Amino acid sequence: TTPPDFFYMAASPAEEEFYLKGITKVIGRVPFFGGSAADNSISGEWKLYTDRGVFADGVVVAFFYTKKPMVN
């Protein structure tokens, strides 16, 4: 399996390190961007958006296979 050139990840607060460890265990260490889903008051009103719906808890990930540089 070819690892991606980089990936994007957003996860529920306090879970992002758990998901990141699992992802890197499978694909290895590659650059990534993203982090925690959040709201303005840390009251649990954050949302994660996917092609399958909108969720309050979990993780969203997108893997990029390209020779173009990652730029924020």
Side-chain angles (χ1 to χ4, degrees):
T1 305
T2 303
D5 295 295
F6 56 91
F7 69 98
Y8 168 83
M9 179 195 79
S12 305
E15 297 178 352
E16 57 275 79
E17 289 184 22
F18 169 78
Y19 288 115
L20 185 57
K21 285 181 184 180
I23 292 167
T24 57
K25 187 174 182 179
V26 174
I27 67 170
R29 290 182 56 131
V30 300
F32 85 99
F33 60 103
S36 299
D39 56 30
N40 290 337
S41 62
I42 312 174
S43 60
E45 297 297 320
W46 52 79
K47 300 292 183 217
L48 298 161
Y49 296 86
T50 75
D51 61 337
R52 301 203 178 187
V54 179
F55 304 93
D57 292 312
V59 63
V60 294
V61 181
F63 298 104
F64 297 86
Y65 295 85
T66 181
K67 295 301 173 201
K68 296 191 183 251
M70 179 180 80
V71 179
N72 271 337

